[in-house]
């Protein structure tokens, strides 16, 4: 069974202890849990240094192309830099996604400076992993995903708390291009089964927040769930693999 972790980070974080944060540490963890590939966006790019963080991501993907898929972090406060850097990154094999963390970047998804990256993702069918921790963000995704139907919007954390997750699932069900992941902290018992029930077996993706969160617990929630083997296969990797394979090759014109 192919396992792809759709929601990972990389490296140290400025105000937390994050053991096992190097690429090699993460590969060791992936080997221990049978994970084939991890989609990465370094902590550095989400907080302290967007330029060095994205470079760290690319260097890691180039060094370990069989294990990591790169997600380019987009910071709307530096639109000229982002526009200049996009071609260089998306010409690199193995970089197939975009990461948005409007929380650490102190803005909202409605920031006009995000429109460039939404259009870019729409043109190339690129998945966008979005930190989804509030009802406002879910409603923003509901609106934006309708405007950019070819882009793929992944609700990282699925809305964070159960009440938000119910509304997130309604958005996922109403949009063919919106998904949610299993990277959650506050959840009910049998939580993975519940997410599949409310959002559908084709719309839930396996994510862990590694190395921020121990992936063994996250994997166990899926493997030891009551889901059928065919649904587990979709959640753990098949659906995400299909999304990554659907990304169009970047044309540097």
């Amino acid at each position: 069974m192919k396992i792809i972790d759709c929601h990972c980070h990389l490296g140290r974080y400025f105000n937390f202890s994050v053991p096992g944060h190097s690429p090699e540490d993460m590969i060791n963890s992936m080997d221990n849990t049978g994970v084939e590939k991890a989609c990465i966006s370094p902590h550095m790019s989400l907080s302290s240094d967007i330029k060095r963080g994205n470079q760290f991501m690319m260097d890691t993907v180039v060094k370990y192309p069989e294990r990591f898929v790169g997600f380019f972090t987009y910071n709307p406060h530096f639109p000229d830099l982002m526009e200049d850097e996009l071609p260089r990154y998306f010409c690199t094999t193995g970089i197939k996604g975009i990461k948005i963390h409007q929380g650490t970047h102190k803005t909202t998804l409605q920031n006009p400076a995000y429109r460039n990256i939404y259009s870019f993702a729409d043109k190339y069918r690129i998945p966008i992993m979005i930190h989804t921790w509030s009802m406002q963000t879910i409603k923003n995704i509901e609106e934006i995903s309708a405007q950019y139907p070819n882009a793929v919007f992944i609700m990282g954390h699925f809305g964070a708390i159960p009440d938000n997750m119910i509304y997130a699932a309604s958005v996922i069900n109403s949009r063919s291009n919106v998904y949610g992941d299993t990277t959650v902290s506050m959840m009910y018992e049998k939580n993975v089964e519940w997410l599949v029930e409310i959002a559908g077996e084709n719309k839930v993706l396996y994510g862990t927040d590694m190395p921020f969160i121990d992936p063994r617990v996250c994997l166990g929630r899926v493997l030891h769930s009551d889901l059928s083997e065919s649904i587990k296969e979709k959640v753990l990797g098949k659906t995400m693999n299909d999304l990554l394979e659907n990304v169009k090759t970047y044309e540097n014109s």
Side-chain angles (χ1 to χ4, degrees):
M1 186 181 296
K2 181 190 289 287
I3 302 178
I4 299 175
D5 191 334
C6 77
H7 188 160
C8 289
H9 299 292
L10 183 69
R12 301 180 186 276
Y13 195 58
F14 72 96
N15 63 348
F16 285 90
S17 173
V18 185
H21 57 74
S22 73
E24 293 74 22
D25 290 331
M26 289 177 61
I27 289 173
N28 182 61
S29 181
M30 291 159 64
D31 288 344
N32 288 337
T33 52
V35 174
E36 182 176 316
K37 289 191 175 183
C39 301
I40 54 170
S41 54
H43 289 121
M44 188 188 307
S45 62
L46 304 179
S47 54
S48 56
D49 193 325
I50 184 69
K51 190 174 180 71
R52 288 181 62 194
N54 276 327
Q55 184 66 51
F56 184 24
M57 175 273 292
M58 183 163 71
D59 291 345
T60 301
V61 170
V62 170
K63 186 174 182 179
Y64 301 108
E66 300 302 316
R67 305 311 303 272
F68 294 110
V69 179
F71 273 50
F72 176 88
T73 302
Y74 191 91
N75 187 326
H77 301 302
F78 304 96
D80 293 340
L81 173 65
M82 296 291 95
E83 186 173 355
D84 289 344
E85 299 241 295
L86 275 176
R88 182 167 72 93
Y89 282 91
F90 281 90
C91 280
T92 302
T93 301
I95 296 178
K96 292 193 169 187
I98 293 159
K99 171 69 176 183
I100 288 177
H101 200 310
Q102 74 287 350
T104 57
H105 292 159
K106 306 298 183 184
T107 186
T108 74
L109 297 181
Q110 294 289 17
N111 186 328
Y114 277 130
R115 294 291 164 172
N116 178 55
I117 201 64
Y118 298 150
S119 296
F120 185 83
D122 190 69
K123 181 176 181 179
Y124 293 103
R125 301 197 295 261
I126 295 171
I128 308 174
M129 171 62 70
I130 300 174
H131 179 79
T132 311
W133 206 263
S134 70
M135 187 65 76
Q136 178 194 31
T137 299
I138 297 169
K139 291 181 177 180
N140 288 165
I141 292 172
E142 181 177 25
E143 179 181 347
I144 295 162
S145 61
Q147 298 169 9
Y148 300 91
N150 296 313
V152 175
F153 296 84
I154 302 173
M155 294 190 189
H157 310 291
F158 222 108
I161 61 174
D163 285 349
N164 289 359
M165 291 171 183
I166 293 171
Y167 192 83
S170 71
V171 175
I172 290 169
N173 286 318
S174 68
R175 300 278 187 269
S176 63
N177 60 332
V178 181
Y179 297 75
D181 77 13
T182 64
T183 309
V184 295
S185 301
M186 296 171 280
M187 279 292 289
Y188 298 127
E189 180 73 17
K190 292 185 177 290
N191 44 69
V192 175
E193 293 94 325
W194 181 66
L195 290 177
V196 169
E197 178 184 350
I198 64 174
E201 65 187 67
N202 297 310
K203 289 299 198 77
V204 179
L205 308 173
Y206 175 65
T208 68
D209 234 0
M210 179 176 67
F212 207 67
I213 294 176
D214 188 332
R216 293 171 296 184
V217 177
C218 303
L219 182 60
R221 289 167 42 228
V222 181
L223 290 180
H224 298 288
S225 71
D226 294 333
L227 299 173
S228 69
E229 290 303 306
S230 63
I231 295 177
K232 289 178 185 177
E233 183 178 7
K234 290 179 180 180
V235 172
L236 287 172
K238 185 179 185 302
T239 302
M240 188 62 189
N241 186 68
D242 291 345
L243 293 176
L244 293 173
E245 288 191 345
N246 195 46
V247 175
K248 291 175 63 177
T249 301
Y250 174 72
E251 299 171 359
N252 193 1
S253 55

